[in-house]
Amino acid sequence: MKIVDKGVLETSFIDFSQPSEFAKKALLYPGDFGHYFCNGDYRIERESLNLFLLFYVTSGNIFVKTKNFDMNAKSGEIVLLDCREQHIYCCNDAGEFLWFHFNGIAASHYVEHLYEKIGIHYRGNRAEKLRLRFQEIISAAAKPIVNEPVVSHNIDGILAALAAESSVTINELLRPTLEYIAKHFDEPISIEELANLSLMRSEERRVG
């Protein structure tokens, strides 16, 4: 399918998926999707679109601006957009990314939860491990006969993995200890030192 977006190179591809009535009622499903290689001319600006969008940046970077967020995603990072709001995304230089618009049951609730708890930008090992999910969604959705439950399962897998980050709560008394361990994991750490960190936080909370 021909790509009309400016700045998208010929090695890219885009396709569209037409969900069944069952998928619309019971599943998460993709709309259009693709694998883009772009140059610095790539820019999309919309007032609104009644869909949601997930990017996985494979190289370069992509700049994103919405009503409440303004950020730059790099290789190995994920961006989630609520396209119902005004949004801009573009490449300032060469970039490559996997992407798909999606909708379906619980999609809006998932996205609203993630916007509130984390935002639109996801990075680190958890994000990098989700690349395969993006590839599987795009590959399955491009087939002549789409296995919609499998595609839905993979979309849900991405959203669930991102949402899991926002569901982890840390006892505030333990936070200094856990943060210290994360920073000094490759050094000898004494039990007394860790106990003192928790004790100091306990005293701070009592005084406060």
Side-chain angles (χ1 to χ4, degrees):
M1 186 170 293
K2 184 177 180 180
I3 300 173
V4 297
D5 296 329
K6 185 179 179 181
V8 181
L9 305 183
E10 291 183 359
T11 48
S12 306
F13 94 92
I14 185 175
D15 206 344
F16 296 83
S17 179
Q18 183 61 47
S20 66
E21 289 303 314
F22 169 70
K24 292 178 182 178
K25 294 176 181 177
L27 303 175
L28 293 165
Y29 56 87
D32 51 337
F33 53 90
H35 185 173
Y36 273 13
F37 298 83
C38 301
N39 60 30
D41 293 327
Y42 179 68
R43 178 184 175 90
I44 300 295
E45 182 171 357
R46 298 190 187 95
E47 287 296 322
S48 66
L49 182 68
N50 192 31
L51 289 169
F52 308 99
L53 177 62
L54 274 163
F55 289 105
Y56 182 93
V57 183
T58 54
S59 67
N61 61 77
I62 184 166
F63 172 77
V64 180
K65 182 177 179 60
T66 69
K67 178 181 177 181
N68 297 312
F69 300 99
D70 187 337
M71 46 72 61
N72 199 55
K74 298 178 292 185
S75 177
E77 298 178 353
I78 292 172
V79 178
L80 170 66
L81 280 182
D82 184 344
C83 297
R84 298 172 302 180
E85 299 180 356
Q86 185 178 21
H87 57 280
I88 298 170
Y89 50 90
C90 60
C91 290
N92 295 322
D93 205 341
E96 176 190 354
F97 50 90
L98 304 165
W99 64 273
F100 60 89
H101 283 104
F102 69 98
N103 212 331
I105 187 168
S108 62
H109 298 294
Y110 249 135
V111 173
E112 288 161 10
H113 171 78
L114 289 165
Y115 261 50
E116 177 185 355
K117 298 296 183 179
I118 304 178
I120 67 173
H121 188 198
Y122 307 85
R123 66 203 103 185
N125 290 335
R126 186 185 297 273
E128 291 178 358
K129 291 178 181 178
L130 292 173
R131 175 174 179 167
L132 182 59
R133 294 270 193 183
F134 278 79
Q135 293 172 328
E136 289 175 346
I137 290 165
I138 291 170
S139 175
K143 291 181 178 179
I145 300 177
V146 180
N147 190 326
E148 293 180 317
V150 169
V151 173
S152 179
H153 173 72
N154 279 307
I155 296 174
D156 181 76
I158 294 172
L159 296 174
L162 301 180
E165 293 186 2
S166 67
S167 301
V168 176
T169 58
I170 299 175
N171 186 311
E172 285 302 314
L173 296 179
L174 295 177
R175 186 179 294 276
T177 303
L178 297 175
E179 290 176 348
Y180 184 87
I181 292 172
K183 291 179 181 178
H184 303 276
F185 68 92
D186 58 347
E187 304 171 11
I189 302 175
S190 70
I191 298 298
E192 291 79 9
E193 193 171 12
L194 298 180
N196 286 336
L197 288 169
S198 292
L199 181 60
M200 288 172 60
R201 174 53 64 91
S202 179
E203 287 296 317
E204 290 173 1
R205 289 171 64 88
R206 184 180 63 80
V207 172

